[in-house]
Amino acid sequence: MSIRYYSTNRDLKNITGIKPFAGKVSFKEALLTGQAPDEGLFMPDSIPRLSLNDIQELKGKPYWETALLVAMAFLADEFSVEVLTHVVQDAYNYPVPLEEVSRRTFVMRLDQGPTASFKDFAARMMARLMSYCRPQGERLNILVATSGDTGSAVGKAFKDVIGIDVTILYPTDEVSLRQKKQLDTIGGNVQSLSVSGKFDDCQNLVKQAFSDPALARFNLTSANSINFGRILPQIIYYIYAYAQLAAAGEEIIFSVPSGNFGDALGCEYARRMGMPLAKLVMPTNENDEFPNYLKNGSYKKVSPSRACISNAMNVGHPSNLARFFELYGGTVDRAGVVHSNPDLEEMRQHIFSVSISDEETRKTIKKVYQLYNVVLEQHGAVGWAGLEAFFQATKTKGLAVSLETAHPAKFPEEIQKLLGLTPELPASMKGIDERKGNALSMTNNYVDFKNYLQNHLKVKE
Ligand SMILES: *Cc1c(COP(=O)(O)O)cnc(C)c1O
């Protein structure tokens, strides 16, 4: 029976401006539209199971084999095994190191991809799946507004993908020099636009373009972070790590530094697919809405969100919280209003969450370096501190993996300040500062942007 995708908002009543979407769509439709018509998030109506035996057989095998097993479980009805094999082999051509830091406690480095952040894992697979889903003979045009990291991960992921062009908009004065280099030097089918304005201006330009009938012929699509096509690839590395490290049937603990909860959601699905999980630890930075909710059962988003050094996690109302609520029987909407509560006891049984301050984050970076000679950056340090908090609160021991979600070389100033060393650039970023960029300048005026799109985008292959 094939898996279909429904909206987390399907039962919402009495909300002005939203007409609940009661239908279901295929994975391909969910992938190309990103969001349900009622602004809800797409959810699979059943979760495929993997046998423990299938998982254990992945031990010692290359990463793409785990990717293929998970992809087949979800997508076998809509893609051939040949296509999926090609997608995962092409997407995952870099290492996924598992470093033992102290006894039976590991760091999984998800920072070896082309833009040195874990977002590469999702963006690369999604890009390749989209290439196979586009309407016959037509091009897709991806528009992305970015304040930094997502834009380069998405842009790089689509580089040279057949039939798809990408336009990235970023605010000229709000990205770091190194981020600007990353965005401007992708080249080929990826064009960056340096917008004189704020991140919000970039988002507004993109939104207006999506709803402009005069641009419909360009097949404009977003590579939105709530797309289920970005969640699916994030299930894979949990199962991979489990297969490499666990003894037969042993339970594992994962600690996932969390912002919009897409990464942690991958772990939640991995458990529901059959991976033996002792606990999903979800540390946040000072944006503590979720740890507070688990503690006292009433949800209050943090608004405006707090600016912490782990800046990719500065989220006051995580977009994927709606999916967690749904999986545990509750409903929360985009504004952060809880319509029905999930089973809180069941949630606490599987999930532990804690807020880590910037001060603790910095202390952790120093401590992990002094004790173990391991360099973590600020996001990975939140993960590690969360794991330690869990060990302390529960007096548990056992096999545990903490995720490092970005490469320390992306944050040279912070690391230099704390450890007195300059992290070496990963191969993907070598020479970045000297590369020549090809950004075009753009005003924040929609008419200018529309003219640009009409003159530059292509329609057919
Ligand atoms: C996006 C990001 C996160 C947070 O991931 P979510 O899926 O939003 O919870 C953590 N670390 C880094 C480096 C990121 O870029």
Side-chain angles (χ1 to χ4, degrees), residues 416-432:
Q416 174 68 40
K417 233 182 349 195
L418 291 169
L419 305 182
L421 59 86
T422 309
E424 204 184 325
L425 285 173
S428 63
M429 289 174 73
K430 286 236 165 78
I432 181 94

Side-chain angles (χ1 to χ4, degrees), residues 56-98:
Q56 279 163 346
E57 282 186 358
L58 297 165
K59 192 180 183 82
K61 303 263 176 68
Y63 186 84
W64 67 263
E65 294 198 27
T66 305
L68 185 61
L69 184 74
V70 173
M72 285 293 290
F74 272 94
L75 306 177
D77 288 324
E78 296 187 54
F79 298 84
S80 70
V81 63
E82 291 77 21
V83 163
L84 291 177
T85 305
H86 184 256
V87 164
V88 296
Q89 288 185 336
D90 197 43
Y92 301 121
N93 56 1
Y94 52 89
V96 186
L98 285 156

Side-chain angles (χ1 to χ4, degrees), residues 116-119 149-150 230 234 256-264 312-313 315 320 377 379-380 404-407 411:
S117 112
F118 91 100
K119 292 193 168 67
D149 283 350
T150 301
R230 277 180 64 171
Q234 293 174 173
V256 188
S258 293
N260 269 317
F261 292 12
D263 196 358
M313 296 167 17
V315 179
N320 280 297
E377 53 68 63
H379 304 84
E404 177 51 291
T405 48
H407 195 282
F411 308 94

Side-chain angles (χ1 to χ4, degrees), residues 202-224:
C202 299
Q203 268 191 316
N204 285 334
L205 291 176
V206 167
K207 265 193 203 150
Q208 281 190 64
F210 283 136
S211 55
D212 188 338
L215 299 176
R217 65 199 166 96
F218 293 118
N219 291 329
L220 299 182
T221 301
S222 76
N224 207 303

Side-chain angles (χ1 to χ4, degrees), residues 214-291:
L215 299 176
R217 65 199 166 96
F218 293 118
N219 291 329
L220 299 182
T221 301
S222 76
N224 207 303
S225 64
I226 53 163
N227 196 309
F228 192 78
R230 277 180 64 171
I231 302 297
L232 174 60
Q234 293 174 173
I235 300 171
I236 298 163
Y237 37 77
Y238 297 101
I239 294 177
Y240 172 78
Y242 181 85
Q244 308 312 313
L245 302 175
E250 184 184 18
E251 289 192 335
I252 191 168
I253 301 157
F254 279 104
S255 183
V256 188
S258 293
N260 269 317
F261 292 12
D263 196 358
L265 186 67
C267 187
E268 177 71 34
Y269 277 117
R271 176 177 72 78
R272 288 169 189 256
M273 290 180 80
M275 179 190 74
L277 183 74
K279 206 76 161 189
L280 167 56
V281 180
M282 292 173 58
T284 65
N285 59 22
E286 292 170 28
N287 292 283
D288 54 2
E289 64 286 343
F290 185 62

